[in-house]
Amino acid sequence: MITIWGLFLGVPLLAFGGVALHSPARASRFVRWFAASAACAWALTTAAWLWTAYECSTIGIDVFDAVLLKEKTGGVFVWALALVLIYLTVQWMPKNLPMRALTGILMLIPAELFKTTRLLVPASGFAAVHIFVLTAYLGALVGMYGMFYPWRLETALDKILHNAMGARILGGMCAALGLALLIAGVGL
Protein backbone atom coordinates (compact mmCIF):
# COMPACT_ATOMS: atom_id res chain seq x y z
CA MET A 1 0.00 0.00 0.00
CA ILE A 2 2.87 2.39 0.73
CA THR A 3 4.02 1.97 -2.88
CA ILE A 4 0.66 3.29 -4.07
CA TRP A 5 0.99 6.25 -1.70
CA GLY A 6 4.50 6.83 -3.05
CA LEU A 7 3.11 7.00 -6.58
CA PHE A 8 0.05 9.06 -5.59
CA LEU A 9 2.14 11.70 -3.82
CA GLY A 10 5.49 11.40 -5.56
CA VAL A 11 4.58 11.48 -9.25
CA PRO A 12 2.74 14.84 -9.20
CA LEU A 13 5.45 16.44 -7.07
CA LEU A 14 8.22 15.10 -9.29
CA ALA A 15 6.40 16.14 -12.48
CA PHE A 16 5.59 19.66 -11.31
CA GLY A 17 9.05 20.08 -9.82
CA GLY A 18 10.71 18.89 -13.01
CA VAL A 19 8.72 21.32 -15.13
CA ALA A 20 9.44 24.22 -12.75
CA LEU A 21 13.15 23.35 -12.81
CA HIS A 22 13.33 23.01 -16.58
CA SER A 23 10.90 25.75 -17.64
CA PRO A 24 9.50 28.15 -15.04
CA ALA A 25 7.35 29.79 -17.75
CA ARG A 26 5.62 26.47 -18.50
CA ALA A 27 5.05 25.85 -14.81
CA SER A 28 3.55 29.32 -14.51
CA ARG A 29 1.27 28.70 -17.50
CA PHE A 30 0.20 25.38 -15.99
CA VAL A 31 -0.70 27.02 -12.66
CA ARG A 32 -2.75 29.70 -14.46
CA TRP A 33 -4.48 27.05 -16.58
CA PHE A 34 -5.18 24.93 -13.49
CA ALA A 35 -6.63 27.89 -11.59
CA ALA A 36 -9.07 28.62 -14.45
CA SER A 37 -9.96 25.02 -15.38
CA ALA A 38 -13.61 24.09 -14.92
CA ALA A 39 -12.76 20.42 -15.54
CA CYS A 40 -10.19 20.46 -12.71
CA ALA A 41 -12.71 22.22 -10.48
CA TRP A 42 -15.36 19.56 -11.11
CA ALA A 43 -12.95 16.61 -10.82
CA LEU A 44 -11.18 17.76 -7.66
CA THR A 45 -14.39 18.96 -5.99
CA THR A 46 -16.00 15.60 -6.70
CA ALA A 47 -12.99 13.76 -5.29
CA ALA A 48 -12.85 15.99 -2.22
CA TRP A 49 -16.55 15.70 -1.34
CA LEU A 50 -16.72 11.95 -1.94
CA TRP A 51 -13.58 11.45 0.14
CA THR A 52 -15.12 13.62 2.87
CA ALA A 53 -18.28 11.50 2.75
CA TYR A 54 -16.16 8.37 3.11
CA GLU A 55 -14.33 9.82 6.11
CA CYS A 56 -17.62 10.90 7.71
CA SER A 57 -19.14 7.46 7.18
CA THR A 58 -16.17 5.61 8.66
CA ILE A 59 -14.96 7.94 11.42
CA GLY A 60 -17.22 6.41 14.08
CA ILE A 61 -17.96 9.49 16.18
CA ASP A 62 -21.44 9.28 17.70
CA VAL A 63 -22.20 12.98 17.26
CA PHE A 64 -21.27 12.86 13.55
CA ASP A 65 -23.30 9.69 13.09
CA ALA A 66 -26.35 11.33 14.70
CA VAL A 67 -26.06 14.57 12.69
CA LEU A 68 -25.52 12.65 9.45
CA LEU A 69 -28.48 10.36 10.22
CA LYS A 70 -26.28 7.30 9.81
CA GLU A 71 -28.55 4.88 11.68
CA LYS A 72 -31.83 6.22 10.25
CA THR A 73 -30.68 6.10 6.62
CA GLY A 74 -28.20 3.24 6.79
CA GLY A 75 -25.40 5.69 5.92
CA VAL A 76 -26.92 6.72 2.57
CA PHE A 77 -27.60 10.31 3.67
CA VAL A 78 -23.91 11.27 3.86
CA TRP A 79 -23.35 10.12 0.27
CA ALA A 80 -26.46 11.90 -1.01
CA LEU A 81 -25.34 15.03 0.84
CA ALA A 82 -21.92 14.80 -0.80
CA LEU A 83 -23.49 14.63 -4.27
CA VAL A 84 -25.61 17.70 -3.54
CA LEU A 85 -22.60 19.55 -2.13
CA ILE A 86 -20.51 18.78 -5.22
CA TYR A 87 -23.06 20.52 -7.41
CA LEU A 88 -23.64 23.44 -5.03
CA THR A 89 -19.93 24.04 -4.51
CA VAL A 90 -19.22 24.18 -8.23
CA GLN A 91 -22.22 26.47 -8.84
CA TRP A 92 -21.78 28.83 -5.89
CA MET A 93 -17.99 28.90 -5.45
CA PRO A 94 -16.41 28.75 -8.92
CA LYS A 95 -13.73 31.34 -8.17
CA ASN A 96 -10.47 29.69 -7.05
CA LEU A 97 -12.26 26.33 -6.85
CA PRO A 98 -9.52 24.10 -8.32
CA MET A 99 -7.02 25.36 -5.72
CA ARG A 100 -9.59 25.21 -2.92
CA ALA A 101 -10.54 21.61 -3.83
CA LEU A 102 -6.89 20.56 -4.14
CA THR A 103 -6.07 21.99 -0.73
CA GLY A 104 -9.15 20.24 0.68
CA ILE A 105 -7.74 16.95 -0.59
CA LEU A 106 -4.39 17.80 1.00
CA MET A 107 -6.19 18.01 4.34
CA LEU A 108 -7.86 14.63 3.79
CA ILE A 109 -4.67 12.72 2.90
CA PRO A 110 -3.29 12.24 6.44
CA ALA A 111 -6.38 10.37 7.69
CA GLU A 112 -5.92 7.60 5.12
CA LEU A 113 -2.14 7.74 4.80
CA PHE A 114 -1.58 7.34 8.53
CA LYS A 115 -3.52 4.06 8.50
CA THR A 116 -0.63 2.71 6.43
CA THR A 117 2.31 4.60 7.92
CA ARG A 118 1.51 3.80 11.55
CA LEU A 119 2.21 0.15 10.78
CA LEU A 120 5.66 1.00 9.40
CA VAL A 121 6.95 3.53 11.95
CA PRO A 122 9.77 2.01 14.02
CA ALA A 123 9.75 2.16 17.82
CA SER A 124 12.61 4.67 17.75
CA GLY A 125 14.80 6.45 15.25
CA PHE A 126 14.26 7.74 11.74
CA ALA A 127 12.89 5.58 8.94
CA ALA A 128 11.96 6.22 5.33
CA VAL A 129 8.27 6.17 6.31
CA HIS A 130 8.82 9.48 8.10
CA ILE A 131 9.13 11.13 4.68
CA PHE A 132 5.47 10.24 4.12
CA VAL A 133 4.46 11.49 7.56
CA LEU A 134 6.31 14.79 7.07
CA THR A 135 4.79 15.23 3.60
CA ALA A 136 1.29 14.59 4.97
CA TYR A 137 1.73 17.19 7.71
CA LEU A 138 3.17 19.76 5.29
CA GLY A 139 0.32 19.08 2.88
CA ALA A 140 -2.24 19.47 5.67
CA LEU A 141 -0.71 22.82 6.66
CA VAL A 142 -0.79 24.06 3.07
CA GLY A 143 -4.30 22.65 2.79
CA MET A 144 -5.58 24.48 5.86
CA TYR A 145 -4.24 27.78 4.59
CA GLY A 146 -5.27 27.24 0.96
CA MET A 147 -8.76 26.09 1.83
CA PHE A 148 -9.57 29.50 3.32
CA TYR A 149 -7.24 31.66 1.21
CA PRO A 150 -6.83 29.95 -2.18
CA TRP A 151 -6.28 33.28 -3.97
CA ARG A 152 -3.30 34.01 -1.72
CA LEU A 153 -1.80 30.62 -2.49
CA GLU A 154 -2.32 31.20 -6.23
CA THR A 155 -0.76 34.68 -5.96
CA ALA A 156 2.23 33.33 -4.03
CA LEU A 157 2.76 30.55 -6.58
CA ASP A 158 2.50 33.07 -9.40
CA LYS A 159 5.12 35.33 -7.79
CA ILE A 160 7.49 32.44 -7.13
CA LEU A 161 7.13 31.06 -10.66
CA HIS A 162 7.69 34.46 -12.28
CA ASN A 163 11.10 34.64 -10.59
CA ALA A 164 13.41 32.16 -12.34
CA MET A 165 15.49 31.50 -9.22
CA GLY A 166 12.39 31.09 -7.02
CA ALA A 167 10.80 28.75 -9.57
CA ARG A 168 13.92 26.59 -9.71
CA ILE A 169 14.21 26.45 -5.93
CA LEU A 170 10.54 25.46 -5.58
CA GLY A 171 10.90 23.03 -8.48
CA GLY A 172 14.00 21.46 -6.96
CA MET A 173 12.31 21.04 -3.59
CA CYS A 174 9.16 19.51 -5.14
CA ALA A 175 11.18 17.22 -7.42
CA ALA A 176 13.44 16.08 -4.57
CA LEU A 177 10.47 15.36 -2.30
CA GLY A 178 8.64 13.54 -5.10
CA LEU A 179 11.69 11.41 -5.86
CA ALA A 180 12.19 10.66 -2.15
CA LEU A 181 8.55 9.54 -1.85
CA LEU A 182 8.86 7.31 -4.91
CA ILE A 183 12.08 5.72 -3.64
CA ALA A 184 10.73 5.31 -0.09
CA GLY A 185 7.47 3.86 -1.43
CA VAL A 186 9.30 1.23 -3.44
CA GLY A 187 11.85 0.51 -0.72
CA LEU A 188 9.45 -0.04 2.19
mmCIF file of all heavy atoms in Angstrom, residues 122-163:
data_model
loop_
_atom_site.group_PDB
_atom_site.id
_atom_site.type_symbol
_atom_site.label_atom_id
_atom_site.label_comp_id
_atom_site.label_asym_id
_atom_site.label_seq_id
_atom_site.Cartn_x
_atom_site.Cartn_y
_atom_site.Cartn_z
ATOM 1 N N PRO A 122 9.013 2.789 13.036
ATOM 2 C CA PRO A 122 9.771 2.007 14.022
ATOM 3 C C PRO A 122 9.572 2.563 15.434
ATOM 4 O O PRO A 122 9.129 3.700 15.607
ATOM 5 C CB PRO A 122 11.228 2.178 13.566
ATOM 6 C CG PRO A 122 11.241 3.473 12.843
ATOM 7 C CD PRO A 122 9.890 3.605 12.202
ATOM 8 N N ALA A 123 9.906 1.749 16.426
ATOM 9 C CA ALA A 123 9.752 2.165 17.821
ATOM 10 C C ALA A 123 10.598 3.396 18.134
ATOM 11 O O ALA A 123 10.201 4.251 18.920
ATOM 12 C CB ALA A 123 10.124 1.016 18.748
ATOM 13 N N SER A 124 11.766 3.482 17.536
ATOM 14 C CA SER A 124 12.608 4.668 17.750
ATOM 15 C C SER A 124 13.467 4.894 16.511
ATOM 16 O O SER A 124 13.706 3.992 15.716
ATOM 17 C CB SER A 124 13.503 4.471 18.974
ATOM 18 O OG SER A 124 14.414 3.418 18.743
ATOM 19 N N GLY A 125 13.910 6.117 16.358
ATOM 20 C CA GLY A 125 14.795 6.449 15.247
ATOM 21 C C GLY A 125 14.045 6.871 13.997
ATOM 22 O O GLY A 125 12.816 6.850 13.933
ATOM 23 N N PHE A 126 14.818 7.261 13.003
ATOM 24 C CA PHE A 126 14.261 7.739 11.739
ATOM 25 C C PHE A 126 14.157 6.584 10.765
ATOM 26 O O PHE A 126 15.017 5.715 10.704
ATOM 27 C CB PHE A 126 15.154 8.831 11.150
ATOM 28 C CG PHE A 126 14.662 9.359 9.836
ATOM 29 C CD1 PHE A 126 13.633 10.280 9.799
ATOM 30 C CD2 PHE A 126 15.200 8.921 8.638
ATOM 31 C CE1 PHE A 126 13.143 10.759 8.594
ATOM 32 C CE2 PHE A 126 14.727 9.390 7.428
ATOM 33 C CZ PHE A 126 13.699 10.324 7.406
ATOM 34 N N ALA A 127 13.074 6.581 9.996
ATOM 35 C CA ALA A 127 12.891 5.578 8.945
ATOM 36 C C ALA A 127 12.351 6.291 7.715
ATOM 37 O O ALA A 127 11.846 7.416 7.789
ATOM 38 C CB ALA A 127 11.923 4.496 9.405
ATOM 39 N N ALA A 128 12.422 5.629 6.583
ATOM 40 C CA ALA A 128 11.956 6.222 5.326
ATOM 41 C C ALA A 128 10.476 6.576 5.378
ATOM 42 O O ALA A 128 10.031 7.511 4.707
ATOM 43 C CB ALA A 128 12.234 5.265 4.170
ATOM 44 N N VAL A 129 9.700 5.881 6.202
ATOM 45 C CA VAL A 129 8.270 6.169 6.305
ATOM 46 C C VAL A 129 8.021 7.575 6.851
ATOM 47 O O VAL A 129 6.983 8.174 6.586
ATOM 48 C CB VAL A 129 7.564 5.098 7.164
ATOM 49 C CG1 VAL A 129 7.933 5.235 8.627
ATOM 50 C CG2 VAL A 129 6.057 5.168 6.975
ATOM 51 N N HIS A 130 8.979 8.128 7.572
ATOM 52 C CA HIS A 130 8.821 9.480 8.103
ATOM 53 C C HIS A 130 8.742 10.532 6.995
ATOM 54 O O HIS A 130 8.206 11.621 7.204
ATOM 55 C CB HIS A 130 9.942 9.802 9.099
ATOM 56 C CG HIS A 130 9.773 9.085 10.396
ATOM 57 N ND1 HIS A 130 10.595 8.045 10.775
ATOM 58 C CD2 HIS A 130 8.859 9.226 11.379
ATOM 59 C CE1 HIS A 130 10.203 7.591 11.947
ATOM 60 N NE2 HIS A 130 9.148 8.291 12.336
ATOM 61 N N ILE A 131 9.257 10.216 5.817
ATOM 62 C CA ILE A 131 9.135 11.132 4.679
ATOM 63 C C ILE A 131 7.657 11.283 4.324
ATOM 64 O O ILE A 131 7.185 12.383 4.024
ATOM 65 C CB ILE A 131 9.952 10.626 3.471
ATOM 66 C CG1 ILE A 131 11.434 10.615 3.813
ATOM 67 C CG2 ILE A 131 9.690 11.472 2.233
ATOM 68 C CD1 ILE A 131 12.303 9.880 2.813
ATOM 69 N N PHE A 132 6.910 10.187 4.381
ATOM 70 C CA PHE A 132 5.470 10.237 4.116
ATOM 71 C C PHE A 132 4.743 11.032 5.194
ATOM 72 O O PHE A 132 3.854 11.830 4.892
ATOM 73 C CB PHE A 132 4.887 8.824 4.034
ATOM 74 C CG PHE A 132 5.247 8.108 2.779
ATOM 75 C CD1 PHE A 132 6.352 7.269 2.724
ATOM 76 C CD2 PHE A 132 4.477 8.270 1.635
ATOM 77 C CE1 PHE A 132 6.686 6.615 1.560
ATOM 78 C CE2 PHE A 132 4.811 7.615 0.466
ATOM 79 C CZ PHE A 132 5.915 6.789 0.422
ATOM 80 N N VAL A 133 5.114 10.794 6.443
ATOM 81 C CA VAL A 133 4.464 11.488 7.556
ATOM 82 C C VAL A 133 4.721 12.988 7.458
ATOM 83 O O VAL A 133 3.791 13.796 7.578
ATOM 84 C CB VAL A 133 4.957 10.917 8.905
ATOM 85 C CG1 VAL A 133 4.409 11.719 10.069
ATOM 86 C CG2 VAL A 133 4.571 9.446 9.033
ATOM 87 N N LEU A 134 5.961 13.370 7.205
ATOM 88 C CA LEU A 134 6.308 14.788 7.070
ATOM 89 C C LEU A 134 5.559 15.419 5.894
ATOM 90 O O LEU A 134 5.008 16.520 6.009
ATOM 91 C CB LEU A 134 7.816 14.954 6.882
ATOM 92 C CG LEU A 134 8.307 16.375 6.632
ATOM 93 C CD1 LEU A 134 8.061 17.248 7.857
ATOM 94 C CD2 LEU A 134 9.771 16.376 6.262
ATOM 95 N N THR A 135 5.503 14.725 4.769
ATOM 96 C CA THR A 135 4.787 15.231 3.595
ATOM 97 C C THR A 135 3.304 15.421 3.905
ATOM 98 O O THR A 135 2.707 16.419 3.499
ATOM 99 C CB THR A 135 4.958 14.268 2.402
ATOM 100 O OG1 THR A 135 6.350 14.135 2.122
ATOM 101 C CG2 THR A 135 4.249 14.773 1.176
ATOM 102 N N ALA A 136 2.715 14.481 4.621
ATOM 103 C CA ALA A 136 1.288 14.594 4.970
ATOM 104 C C ALA A 136 1.043 15.807 5.858
ATOM 105 O O ALA A 136 0.071 16.546 5.649
ATOM 106 C CB ALA A 136 0.821 13.322 5.664
ATOM 107 N N TYR A 137 1.909 16.032 6.833
ATOM 108 C CA TYR A 137 1.730 17.192 7.710
ATOM 109 C C TYR A 137 1.941 18.500 6.952
ATOM 110 O O TYR A 137 1.185 19.457 7.138
ATOM 111 C CB TYR A 137 2.679 17.124 8.907
ATOM 112 C CG TYR A 137 2.175 16.218 10.012
ATOM 113 C CD1 TYR A 137 2.930 15.153 10.462
ATOM 114 C CD2 TYR A 137 0.934 16.439 10.610
ATOM 115 C CE1 TYR A 137 2.477 14.325 11.476
ATOM 116 C CE2 TYR A 137 0.467 15.615 11.620
ATOM 117 C CZ TYR A 137 1.244 14.563 12.054
ATOM 118 O OH TYR A 137 0.789 13.757 13.050
ATOM 119 N N LEU A 138 2.953 18.554 6.096
ATOM 120 C CA LEU A 138 3.171 19.763 5.288
ATOM 121 C C LEU A 138 1.979 20.010 4.359
ATOM 122 O O LEU A 138 1.517 21.150 4.206
ATOM 123 C CB LEU A 138 4.455 19.646 4.467
ATOM 124 C CG LEU A 138 5.758 19.720 5.237
ATOM 125 C CD1 LEU A 138 6.945 19.415 4.324
ATOM 126 C CD2 LEU A 138 5.925 21.079 5.883
ATOM 127 N N GLY A 139 1.484 18.949 3.740
ATOM 128 C CA GLY A 139 0.319 19.078 2.878
ATOM 129 C C GLY A 139 -0.907 19.549 3.642
ATOM 130 O O GLY A 139 -1.680 20.376 3.149
ATOM 131 N N ALA A 140 -1.096 19.048 4.858
ATOM 132 C CA ALA A 140 -2.238 19.474 5.674
ATOM 133 C C ALA A 140 -2.122 20.948 6.044
ATOM 134 O O ALA A 140 -3.121 21.678 6.032
ATOM 135 C CB ALA A 140 -2.345 18.606 6.927
ATOM 136 N N LEU A 141 -0.917 21.399 6.347
ATOM 137 C CA LEU A 141 -0.714 22.822 6.662
ATOM 138 C C LEU A 141 -1.025 23.700 5.454
ATOM 139 O O LEU A 141 -1.733 24.702 5.566
ATOM 140 C CB LEU A 141 0.720 23.078 7.135
ATOM 141 C CG LEU A 141 1.044 22.605 8.536
ATOM 142 C CD1 LEU A 141 2.544 22.743 8.804
ATOM 143 C CD2 LEU A 141 0.251 23.395 9.558
ATOM 144 N N VAL A 142 -0.488 23.327 4.299
ATOM 145 C CA VAL A 142 -0.792 24.065 3.068
ATOM 146 C C VAL A 142 -2.292 23.993 2.788
ATOM 147 O O VAL A 142 -2.915 24.982 2.390
ATOM 148 C CB VAL A 142 0.027 23.515 1.877
ATOM 149 C CG1 VAL A 142 -0.451 24.106 0.566
ATOM 150 C CG2 VAL A 142 1.507 23.802 2.077
ATOM 151 N N GLY A 143 -2.876 22.829 3.015
ATOM 152 C CA GLY A 143 -4.302 22.647 2.791
ATOM 153 C C GLY A 143 -5.162 23.530 3.680
ATOM 154 O O GLY A 143 -6.134 24.134 3.212
ATOM 155 N N MET A 144 -4.807 23.640 4.954
ATOM 156 C CA MET A 144 -5.584 24.479 5.861
ATOM 157 C C MET A 144 -5.534 25.941 5.436
ATOM 158 O O MET A 144 -6.544 26.641 5.477
ATOM 159 C CB MET A 144 -5.086 24.320 7.296
ATOM 160 C CG MET A 144 -5.535 23.039 7.939
ATOM 161 S SD MET A 144 -5.054 22.954 9.659
ATOM 162 C CE MET A 144 -3.540 22.047 9.516
ATOM 163 N N TYR A 145 -4.366 26.387 5.028
ATOM 164 C CA TYR A 145 -4.241 27.778 4.588
ATOM 165 C C TYR A 145 -4.963 27.981 3.257
ATOM 166 O O TYR A 145 -5.738 28.922 3.084
ATOM 167 C CB TYR A 145 -2.761 28.166 4.463
ATOM 168 C CG TYR A 145 -2.574 29.607 4.094
ATOM 169 C CD1 TYR A 145 -2.698 30.602 5.054
ATOM 170 C CD2 TYR A 145 -2.285 29.975 2.780
ATOM 171 C CE1 TYR A 145 -2.538 31.929 4.720
ATOM 172 C CE2 TYR A 145 -2.130 31.306 2.444
ATOM 173 C CZ TYR A 145 -2.250 32.279 3.414
ATOM 174 O OH TYR A 145 -2.108 33.592 3.081
ATOM 175 N N GLY A 146 -4.711 27.096 2.301
ATOM 176 C CA GLY A 146 -5.268 27.241 0.962
ATOM 177 C C GLY A 146 -6.756 27.039 0.891
ATOM 178 O O GLY A 146 -7.425 27.569 0.000
ATOM 179 N N MET A 147 -7.306 26.303 1.817
ATOM 180 C CA MET A 147 -8.757 26.089 1.834
ATOM 181 C C MET A 147 -9.486 27.405 2.098
ATOM 182 O O MET A 147 -10.531 27.674 1.518
ATOM 183 C CB MET A 147 -9.085 25.073 2.923
ATOM 184 C CG MET A 147 -10.473 24.620 2.938
ATOM 185 S SD MET A 147 -10.787 23.569 1.532
ATOM 186 C CE MET A 147 -12.444 23.155 1.911
ATOM 187 N N PHE A 148 -8.925 28.230 2.967
ATOM 188 C CA PHE A 148 -9.567 29.495 3.316
ATOM 189 C C PHE A 148 -9.064 30.670 2.478
ATOM 190 O O PHE A 148 -9.779 31.647 2.303
ATOM 191 C CB PHE A 148 -9.373 29.783 4.806
ATOM 192 C CG PHE A 148 -10.089 28.803 5.675
ATOM 193 C CD1 PHE A 148 -9.399 27.796 6.327
ATOM 194 C CD2 PHE A 148 -11.466 28.851 5.802
ATOM 195 C CE1 PHE A 148 -10.066 26.866 7.113
ATOM 196 C CE2 PHE A 148 -12.145 27.923 6.585
ATOM 197 C CZ PHE A 148 -11.439 26.935 7.239
ATOM 198 N N TYR A 149 -7.826 30.575 1.987
ATOM 199 C CA TYR A 149 -7.237 31.663 1.205
ATOM 200 C C TYR A 149 -6.624 31.140 -0.093
ATOM 201 O O TYR A 149 -5.430 31.309 -0.329
ATOM 202 C CB TYR A 149 -6.159 32.384 2.018
ATOM 203 C CG TYR A 149 -6.639 32.900 3.345
ATOM 204 C CD1 TYR A 149 -6.265 32.282 4.534
ATOM 205 C CD2 TYR A 149 -7.480 34.007 3.406
ATOM 206 C CE1 TYR A 149 -6.706 32.760 5.755
ATOM 207 C CE2 TYR A 149 -7.922 34.493 4.622
ATOM 208 C CZ TYR A 149 -7.537 33.861 5.794
ATOM 209 O OH TYR A 149 -7.990 34.337 6.995
ATOM 210 N N PRO A 150 -7.416 30.508 -0.957
ATOM 211 C CA PRO A 150 -6.827 29.950 -2.179
ATOM 212 C C PRO A 150 -6.233 31.014 -3.096
ATOM 213 O O PRO A 150 -5.250 30.766 -3.779
ATOM 214 C CB PRO A 150 -8.002 29.230 -2.845
ATOM 215 C CG PRO A 150 -9.214 29.883 -2.304
ATOM 216 C CD PRO A 150 -8.866 30.314 -0.914
ATOM 217 N N TRP A 151 -6.809 32.210 -3.112
ATOM 218 C CA TRP A 151 -6.281 33.275 -3.970
ATOM 219 C C TRP A 151 -4.899 33.712 -3.518
ATOM 220 O O TRP A 151 -4.069 34.052 -4.337
ATOM 221 C CB TRP A 151 -7.252 34.474 -4.007
ATOM 222 C CG TRP A 151 -7.529 35.072 -2.668
ATOM 223 C CD1 TRP A 151 -6.854 36.089 -2.063
ATOM 224 C CD2 TRP A 151 -8.548 34.677 -1.761
ATOM 225 N NE1 TRP A 151 -7.384 36.350 -0.816
ATOM 226 C CE2 TRP A 151 -8.443 35.490 -0.612
ATOM 227 C CE3 TRP A 151 -9.547 33.709 -1.803
ATOM 228 C CZ2 TRP A 151 -9.288 35.380 0.485
ATOM 229 C CZ3 TRP A 151 -10.385 33.609 -0.707
ATOM 230 C CH2 TRP A 151 -10.262 34.428 0.411
ATOM 231 N N ARG A 152 -4.636 33.658 -2.219
ATOM 232 C CA ARG A 152 -3.299 34.011 -1.723
ATOM 233 C C ARG A 152 -2.283 32.945 -2.124
ATOM 234 O O ARG A 152 -1.144 33.266 -2.462
ATOM 235 C CB ARG A 152 -3.316 34.192 -0.210
ATOM 236 C CG ARG A 152 -4.032 35.437 0.218
ATOM 237 C CD ARG A 152 -3.913 35.649 1.693
ATOM 238 N NE ARG A 152 -4.597 36.864 2.087
ATOM 239 C CZ ARG A 152 -4.839 37.186 3.339
ATOM 240 N NH1 ARG A 152 -4.459 36.389 4.321
ATOM 241 N NH2 ARG A 152 -5.466 38.303 3.622
ATOM 242 N N LEU A 153 -2.687 31.708 -2.073
ATOM 243 C CA LEU A 153 -1.803 30.624 -2.493
ATOM 244 C C LEU A 153 -1.503 30.732 -3.985
ATOM 245 O O LEU A 153 -0.350 30.570 -4.400
ATOM 246 C CB LEU A 153 -2.454 29.281 -2.162
ATOM 247 C CG LEU A 153 -1.563 28.074 -1.998
ATOM 248 C CD1 LEU A 153 -0.482 28.314 -0.981
ATOM 249 C CD2 LEU A 153 -2.386 26.869 -1.612
ATOM 250 N N GLU A 154 -2.530 31.018 -4.794
ATOM 251 C CA GLU A 154 -2.318 31.198 -6.232
ATOM 252 C C GLU A 154 -1.407 32.385 -6.509
ATOM 253 O O GLU A 154 -0.518 32.307 -7.361
ATOM 254 C CB GLU A 154 -3.663 31.398 -6.938
ATOM 255 C CG GLU A 154 -4.492 30.151 -7.004
ATOM 256 C CD GLU A 154 -5.899 30.397 -7.532
ATOM 257 O OE1 GLU A 154 -6.246 31.570 -7.808
ATOM 258 O OE2 GLU A 154 -6.643 29.420 -7.676
ATOM 259 N N THR A 155 -1.601 33.494 -5.785
ATOM 260 C CA THR A 155 -0.758 34.681 -5.961
ATOM 261 C C THR A 155 0.688 34.383 -5.574
ATOM 262 O O THR A 155 1.622 34.785 -6.281
ATOM 263 C CB THR A 155 -1.306 35.855 -5.120
ATOM 264 O OG1 THR A 155 -2.647 36.117 -5.521
ATOM 265 C CG2 THR A 155 -0.470 37.099 -5.308
ATOM 266 N N ALA A 156 0.873 33.686 -4.468
ATOM 267 C CA ALA A 156 2.228 33.335 -4.033
ATOM 268 C C ALA A 156 2.916 32.430 -5.056
ATOM 269 O O ALA A 156 4.085 32.643 -5.394
ATOM 270 C CB ALA A 156 2.187 32.655 -2.665
ATOM 271 N N LEU A 157 2.192 31.434 -5.548
ATOM 272 C CA LEU A 157 2.756 30.547 -6.575
ATOM 273 C C LEU A 157 3.119 31.330 -7.829
ATOM 274 O O LEU A 157 4.175 31.106 -8.430
ATOM 275 C CB LEU A 157 1.749 29.456 -6.938
ATOM 276 C CG LEU A 157 1.967 28.089 -6.353
ATOM 277 C CD1 LEU A 157 0.819 27.169 -6.721
ATOM 278 C CD2 LEU A 157 3.277 27.494 -6.732
ATOM 279 N N ASP A 158 2.252 32.252 -8.214
ATOM 280 C CA ASP A 158 2.500 33.069 -9.401
ATOM 281 C C ASP A 158 3.765 33.910 -9.228
ATOM 282 O O ASP A 158 4.599 33.993 -10.134
ATOM 283 C CB ASP A 158 1.286 33.955 -9.682
ATOM 284 C CG ASP A 158 1.302 34.528 -11.078
ATOM 285 O OD1 ASP A 158 1.594 33.756 -12.018
ATOM 286 O OD2 ASP A 158 1.023 35.731 -11.227
ATOM 287 N N LYS A 159 3.919 34.516 -8.053
ATOM 288 C CA LYS A 159 5.116 35.332 -7.791
ATOM 289 C C LYS A 159 6.381 34.482 -7.805
ATOM 290 O O LYS A 159 7.402 34.873 -8.363
ATOM 291 C CB LYS A 159 4.988 36.065 -6.459
ATOM 292 C CG LYS A 159 4.063 37.234 -6.506
ATOM 293 C CD LYS A 159 4.000 37.936 -5.161
ATOM 294 C CE LYS A 159 3.017 39.102 -5.218
ATOM 295 N NZ LYS A 159 2.889 39.774 -3.925
ATOM 296 N N ILE A 160 6.311 33.324 -7.177
ATOM 297 C CA ILE A 160 7.488 32.441 -7.133
ATOM 298 C C ILE A 160 7.858 31.984 -8.537
ATOM 299 O O ILE A 160 9.026 31.986 -8.916
ATOM 300 C CB ILE A 160 7.228 31.233 -6.205
ATOM 301 C CG1 ILE A 160 7.150 31.682 -4.751
ATOM 302 C CG2 ILE A 160 8.297 30.168 -6.381
ATOM 303 C CD1 ILE A 160 6.646 30.620 -3.793
ATOM 304 N N LEU A 161 6.867 31.601 -9.330
ATOM 305 C CA LEU A 161 7.135 31.060 -10.659
ATOM 306 C C LEU A 161 7.541 32.127 -11.668
ATOM 307 O O LEU A 161 8.126 31.808 -12.697
ATOM 308 C CB LEU A 161 5.925 30.267 -11.167
ATOM 309 C CG LEU A 161 5.637 28.986 -10.400
ATOM 310 C CD1 LEU A 161 4.336 28.356 -10.876
ATOM 311 C CD2 LEU A 161 6.786 27.993 -10.497
ATOM 312 N N HIS A 162 7.248 33.389 -11.394
ATOM 313 C CA HIS A 162 7.695 34.460 -12.281
ATOM 314 C C HIS A 162 9.132 34.895 -11.990
ATOM 315 O O HIS A 162 9.711 35.671 -12.733
ATOM 316 C CB HIS A 162 6.746 35.659 -12.213
ATOM 317 C CG HIS A 162 5.605 35.520 -13.162
ATOM 318 N ND1 HIS A 162 4.476 34.807 -12.836
ATOM 319 C CD2 HIS A 162 5.434 35.959 -14.425
ATOM 320 C CE1 HIS A 162 3.647 34.836 -13.862
ATOM 321 N NE2 HIS A 162 4.204 35.517 -14.844
ATOM 322 N N ASN A 163 9.692 34.405 -10.920
ATOM 323 C CA ASN A 163 11.098 34.637 -10.587
ATOM 324 C C ASN A 163 11.834 33.337 -10.911
ATOM 325 O O ASN A 163 11.582 32.303 -10.289
ATOM 326 C CB ASN A 163 11.211 34.992 -9.103
ATOM 327 C CG ASN A 163 12.632 35.160 -8.635
ATOM 328 O OD1 ASN A 163 13.578 34.722 -9.280
ATOM 329 N ND2 ASN A 163 12.783 35.786 -7.494
#
